[in-house]
Amino acid sequence: MKKEEKGKIRIVDIAKMAGVSIGTVDRVLHNRPNLSTKSREKVEAVLKEIQYQPNRSASALARSKPLEIYAFIPQHAIGTYWEDVIKGMQHASGEYSDFKVRTTIAYYDPYNLYAFEVSAQQLLDAQPDGVIMVPTEPHYSRKVVDKLNEAKIPHLFIDSEIPAYQPLAFFGQDARKSGYFAARMLMLLNPMHEPLLVFRKIYAGISGSNQQDRRQQGFETYMTNKYPDVPIHYLDLPAMQPDEDELMLDRFFADHADAKVGVIFNSNAFIIGHYLAKKNRSDFHLLGYDLIKQNINLLQDGHIDFLIDQSPKKQGHLCVQTLCDYILFGTKPAPYNYIPIQLVTHEILDDFIQSEMEYD
Amino acid sequence: MKKEEKGKIRIVDIAKMAGVSIGTVDRVLHNRPNLSTKSREKVEAVLKEIQYQPNRSASALARSKPLEIYAFIPQHAIGTYWEDVIKGMQHASGEYSDFKVRTTIAYYDPYNLYAFEVSAQQLLDAQPDGVIMVPTEPHYSRKVVDKLNEAKIPHLFIDSEIPAYQPLAFFGQDARKSGYFAARMLMLLNPMHEPLLVFRKIYAGISGSNQQDRRQQGFETYMTNKYPDVPIHYLDLPAMQPDEDELMLDRFFADHADAKVGVIFNSNAFIIGHYLAKKNRSDFHLLGYDLIKQNINLLQDGHIDFLIDQSPKKQGHLCVQTLCDYILFGTKPAPYNYIPIQLVTHEILDDFIQSEMEYD
DNA sequence: CATTTTTCTGTGTACGCACATAAATATAAA
DNA sequence: TTTATATTTATGTGCGTACACAGAAAAATG
């Protein structure tokens, strides 16, 4: 970090050292065609000795075509968590606008195979320079990933990981660990070791997200290890019509009147929170995920005790930034980028909100 | 965020619109001398209509003199918290190296007025373009701030705030809130409402940092409001020679054998943690601050339950970034930038460490 | 074998945009 | 009108990119 300061090596310097012209050096750097093996070797020899760091400003200034980044995101998400992820992406895109970066959001329907494939094809037809995608159902995602690999389009996974598919990098939380941690926090709210309630959201019979399932697994691991005797009761909310929810919740709470603590492993905590507020149950403690508006309100009112934040805007931002740095400057990212598991209570909520505003 | 995309307005465009040459526009933008009132007005009129966003790459490329940022930091801090702050600064500096930014760390002795003034004068003599400083004792800091204002050198405060001095911006945690939150977390570990122990570190009779005091205030506010009947016992460790510590701790713990929970409002939790480890007291719960190496080890061993993280590297990074953006591009920062209060346990520690590595 | 055409390789250079200074012009003072 | 000063214009610089072009080598044609 100190060496380059003074005598920054420029591309002309390399050309001089290698005894070729700058155009030739450029060909090596971007491995473009039309150059002989000898001159390639000469340049590569020089590059090995000095480690060349191109001037990003000059590079940006000179680039002619814009860099097209596509984000492939589940569409059912308007007004929710994904909205913040997208904001973060757009913010990064704005910061890189001098670098001629253009970010496009492409939505897909994760519950409709046919529609999904159509969207995926549209994505590929656009011939983007890089793709950020949220892998949902592994089988669906596989096809897209294969085609991206075939077209040699670098791609990142965000939110949910499928290690076998080997994207350029993954950004998101370690879901199991987060569930494990959630269990510990819940048990702090439950010193009398009363039963725990777990609420789940089921969309059209499908679990919805890998993340939800993995968090639950982590939670169960903790409970099995540390508190095997604490009973856990589950309620699946189909949540097609909210009025049904209330009936189900009435019954569930009546059946487990001794429970004082509950958890839901997605951003729908507000459904339970609203119910608690309506029924004036201030004795019940709830842990949920994500600082979406409805959850925030309930956290402030005291109907949600803990929210685990995932810094969605930061995630979106990091993805765009990482992908651009890779494509433009060859910066290799870490394969796994785990976002810290952040516990938010009403006391410290404001600082989290303000901090994420950084990416607006 | 969409408008500029297509027809980015350049400085020549402005010149054309205003009917002057680019040099004249440049004078207005950087308010340099030697231009008539009429042409200034003409250009300003145009600038008001369109909102000009200079191309940062071109700007960086063209700048001739480097931008000198100085960070003014307490020196007793080697091997501790400040080290990470500095790493974050250097990382940002590296990222901005194409923008010809140079960051220099200047240390001062916060416990020696004379030495402090000498350091401050050296800082001012260097005529930096911007300064990041940690205000310690208000009276000491005042003089430096006054001189910086006089020389019109923009400056930020990091870590500790003195609102009356009105720096360009503040970066750090809301210390009172953090203490308030710490109290809540402690009480979760203390369901039987046993007495609380508070450990303090006193350097040469001086409290050390504003932050420590403010955290304690927040803590006491919470306890007074919510648990006025829980006794709190204080121990001040002069901590000049560690062997004395042990004797004091022996006595303190003996006097308050019923206490199961303790807190220390600075990064010296490891002192208590080491003691607990040595005495094999695994029943005692401890909350401390900062992910410094010694604390991390004890968190992993289970001798510290909670650490509150301040993202020191991120803070350092943000400061340099903010200051550069302000000086180079006139981006006005928010006056208060509160870093989220992050609760770290051994379960989720790794993700925090990895996340901060982003700034290495 | 000489000559033309095609393919390959490498060179030169305009361009992107803001900045800064030298040169040129206009204006005022002498 | 000359000299000094104020104001504006013209131009070169920073550095990497990408393309047009020149030159050389190889292949094809007569």
Side-chain angles (χ1 to χ4, degrees):
Chain A
M1 221 170 241
K2 275 281 151 69
K3 287 175 286 183
E4 322 96 65
E5 302 292 340
K6 44 201 79 171
K8 260 231 162 181
I9 312 113
R10 296 158 305 158
I11 191 162
V12 284
D13 300 319
I14 298 173
K16 217 162 281 169
M17 290 185 223
V20 294
S21 79
I22 56 173
T24 309
V25 177
D26 190 63
R27 276 191 193 72
V28 177
L29 289 173
H30 298 80
N31 46 281
R32 271 196 270 273
N34 302 339
L35 87 168
S36 64
T37 328
K38 340 158 210 172
S39 34
R40 150 157 287 130
E41 278 164 359
K42 276 195 288 184
V43 174
E44 273 171 349
V46 175
L47 285 176
K48 219 165 284 169
E49 297 211 17
I50 59 105
Q51 43 114 222
Y52 172 62
Q53 233 6 89
N55 184 319
R56 298 160 77 107
S57 306
S59 176
L61 194 56
R63 189 168 306 109
S64 51
K65 316 175 221 342
L67 186 73
E68 300 281 0
I69 302 284
Y70 273 67
F72 203 44
I73 290 183
Q75 71 187 148
H76 72 319
I78 287 131
T80 67
Y81 175 75
W82 296 108
E83 211 169 62
D84 282 338
V85 174
I86 291 166
K87 273 188 195 161
M89 289 179 176
Q90 283 166 341
H91 184 260
S93 191
E95 273 192 354
Y96 275 67
S97 70
D98 290 337
F99 288 47
K100 297 196 181 66
V101 171
R102 209 176 304 287
T103 306
T104 309
I105 314 293
Y107 295 95
Y108 65 82
D109 181 348
Y111 300 108
N112 178 338
L113 180 55
Y114 176 70
F116 177 83
E117 291 206 338
V118 172
S119 310
Q121 195 53 51
Q122 284 170 350
L123 174 78
L124 289 157
D125 290 345
Q127 299 202 304
D129 298 296
V131 168
I132 299 161
M133 68 178 284
V134 184
T136 44
E137 206 280 309
H139 183 71
Y140 290 22
S141 307
R142 165 99 278 177
K143 294 187 182 185
V144 183
V145 170
D146 284 344
K147 283 183 182 167
L148 287 170
N149 278 328
E150 204 176 308
K152 287 190 179 157
I153 297 171
H155 50 280
L156 306 179
F157 284 176
I158 183 170
D159 187 66
S160 174
E161 49 182 324
I162 308 182
Y165 293 3
Q166 305 238 8
L168 177 64
F170 162 73
F171 285 83
Q173 264 179 358
D174 184 330
R176 270 194 202 81
K177 201 185 278 184
S178 135
Y180 192 89
F181 173 74
R184 180 177 176 191
M185 287 298 119
L186 267 187
M187 287 310 290
L188 286 179
L189 294 173
N190 188 28
M192 306 311 287
H193 297 190
E194 281 151 344
L196 296 182
L197 305 186
V198 175
F199 304 93
R200 292 185 293 200
K201 190 84 174 295
I202 302 296
Y203 251 122
I206 306 175
S207 140
S209 77
N210 310 323
Q211 295 297 80
Q212 184 176 183
D213 300 340
R214 292 201 186 111
R215 286 169 186 159
Q216 188 181 320
Q217 288 164 18
F219 169 83
E220 283 163 356
T221 304
Y222 183 89
M223 293 308 293
T224 310
N225 291 347
K226 309 268 177 170
Y227 300 99
D229 298 331
V230 173
I232 304 174
H233 304 295
Y234 296 89
L235 175 64
D236 287 354
L237 294 168
M240 282 334 212
Q241 46 272 62
D243 30 328
E244 263 184 35
D245 283 354
E246 190 170 335
L247 287 172
M248 295 183 74
L249 286 166
D250 277 339
R251 187 187 190 102
F252 190 59
F253 275 108
D255 286 350
H256 307 291
D258 49 346
K260 295 288 184 319
V261 188
V263 59
I264 177 163
F265 295 109
N266 57 42
S267 53
N268 291 307
F270 62 89
I271 295 176
I272 317 300
H274 279 148
Y275 174 86
L276 294 170
K278 192 174 175 183
K279 303 283 172 173
N280 258 318
R281 290 215 44 183
S282 56
D283 60 317
F284 192 86
H285 297 292
L286 183 63
L287 185 153
Y289 281 78
D290 300 328
L291 299 185
I292 63 176
K293 200 175 286 172
Q294 292 173 292
N295 286 345
I296 287 174
N297 293 338
L298 288 158
L299 189 71
Q300 283 166 332
D301 296 350
H303 290 108
I304 294 178
D305 284 77
F306 292 144
L307 284 174
I308 290 179
D309 181 33
Q310 306 194 70
S311 312
K313 290 180 195 168
K314 183 183 174 186
Q315 282 194 40
H317 186 96
L318 277 175
C319 279
V320 170
Q321 197 174 45
T322 304
L323 196 49
C324 291
D325 283 350
Y326 174 74
I327 300 171
L328 296 177
F329 312 112
T331 318
K332 285 232 170 59
Y336 293 93
N337 302 84
Y338 289 115
I339 305 303
I341 293 158
Q342 294 169 315
L343 184 80
V344 183
T345 70
H346 75 89
E347 291 94 351
I348 56 176
L349 171 65
D350 292 345
D351 299 337
F352 281 88
I353 295 174
Q354 197 221 29
S355 173
E356 278 271 294
M357 276 182 359
E358 189 187 319
Y359 302 107
D360 269 340
Chain B
M1 220 170 241
K2 277 280 151 71
K3 286 175 287 185
E4 321 96 69
E5 302 289 342
K6 44 200 78 168
K8 259 234 162 179
I9 311 112
R10 295 158 305 158
I11 190 163
V12 283
D13 301 319
I14 298 172
K16 218 162 282 170
M17 290 185 221
V20 295
S21 81
I22 57 172
T24 309
V25 177
D26 189 65
R27 276 190 194 73
V28 177
L29 289 172
H30 297 79
N31 49 281
R32 270 196 271 272
N34 303 338
L35 88 167
S36 63
T37 329
K38 342 157 208 170
S39 35
R40 150 158 285 129
E41 279 164 359
K42 277 194 289 183
V43 174
E44 272 171 351
V46 175
L47 284 177
K48 219 165 284 168
E49 298 212 17
I50 58 105
Q51 41 112 223
Y52 173 63
Q53 223 20 77
N55 184 318
R56 305 171 137 226
S57 306
S59 178
L61 193 56
R63 187 168 307 110
S64 51
K65 318 174 220 346
L67 186 74
E68 299 281 359
I69 302 284
Y70 272 69
F72 203 44
I73 290 182
Q75 70 188 148
H76 71 317
I78 288 132
T80 68
Y81 174 75
W82 296 109
E83 213 169 62
D84 282 337
V85 173
I86 291 166
K87 272 187 195 161
M89 290 178 174
Q90 283 166 341
H91 185 260
S93 190
E95 273 191 354
Y96 275 66
S97 70
D98 290 336
F99 288 43
K100 297 196 180 69
V101 170
R102 210 177 305 286
T103 305
T104 309
I105 314 294
Y107 295 94
Y108 67 83
D109 181 347
Y111 300 107
N112 178 339
L113 180 55
Y114 175 72
F116 178 83
E117 290 206 340
V118 172
S119 309
Q121 195 52 52
Q122 284 171 350
L123 174 77
L124 288 157
D125 290 344
Q127 298 201 306
D129 298 295
V131 168
I132 299 162
M133 69 177 284
V134 184
T136 42
E137 207 280 309
H139 183 72
Y140 290 22
S141 308
R142 166 99 277 178
K143 295 188 183 186
V144 183
V145 170
D146 284 344
K147 283 184 182 166
L148 287 171
N149 278 328
E150 204 177 309
K152 288 190 179 158
I153 296 171
H155 50 281
L156 305 179
F157 284 177
I158 184 172
D159 188 65
S160 175
E161 49 182 322
I162 309 182
Y165 293 2
Q166 302 237 10
L168 176 64
F170 162 73
F171 285 82
Q173 265 179 357
D174 184 330
R176 270 193 201 82
K177 201 185 279 186
S178 135
Y180 191 90
F181 173 74
R184 179 176 178 192
M185 287 298 119
L186 267 187
M187 287 311 290
L188 285 179
L189 294 172
N190 188 28
M192 306 310 287
H193 295 190
E194 282 151 343
L196 296 182
L197 305 185
V198 174
F199 305 92
R200 290 184 293 202
K201 190 85 176 296
I202 302 295
Y203 251 123
I206 306 175
S207 139
S209 77
N210 310 324
Q211 294 298 80
Q212 185 177 182
D213 300 341
R214 292 202 186 111
R215 286 170 187 160
Q216 189 181 320
Q217 287 163 20
F219 169 84
E220 283 163 354
T221 304
Y222 183 88
M223 293 308 293
T224 311
N225 291 347
K226 309 268 180 171
Y227 300 98
D229 298 330
V230 173
I232 304 173
H233 304 295
Y234 296 89
L235 176 64
D236 287 354
L237 295 168
M240 282 331 215
Q241 46 272 62
D243 31 329
E244 262 185 36
D245 283 353
E246 189 170 336
L247 287 172
M248 295 183 73
L249 286 167
D250 276 340
R251 186 185 192 105
F252 189 60
F253 275 108
D255 286 350
H256 308 291
D258 49 346
K260 295 289 183 321
V261 188
V263 59
I264 177 163
F265 294 110
N266 57 40
S267 53
N268 291 307
F270 62 89
I271 295 175
I272 317 299
H274 279 148
Y275 173 87
L276 294 171
K278 192 173 176 185
K279 303 283 173 173
N280 259 316
R281 289 216 42 184
S282 56
D283 59 319
F284 193 85
H285 297 292
L286 185 63
L287 185 153
Y289 281 76
D290 300 327
L291 299 185
I292 63 175
K293 199 175 289 174
Q294 291 173 293
N295 287 345
I296 286 174
N297 293 338
L298 288 157
L299 189 71
Q300 282 165 331
D301 296 350
H303 291 105
I304 294 178
D305 283 77
F306 292 144
L307 285 174
I308 290 178
D309 181 32
Q310 308 194 68
S311 311
K313 290 180 194 166
K314 183 183 173 185
Q315 282 193 42
H317 186 96
L318 277 176
C319 278
V320 170
Q321 198 174 43
T322 304
L323 196 49
C324 291
D325 282 349
Y326 173 74
I327 299 172
L328 296 177
F329 312 113
T331 317
K332 286 230 171 60
Y336 292 93
N337 302 84
Y338 289 116
I339 304 303
I341 293 159
Q342 295 169 312
L343 184 80
V344 183
T345 70
H346 74 88
E347 291 94 350
I348 56 176
L349 171 65
D350 292 344
D351 299 336
F352 281 88
I353 295 174
Q354 197 221 28
S355 173
E356 277 271 293
M357 278 185 355
E358 189 187 319
Y359 303 106
D360 268 339

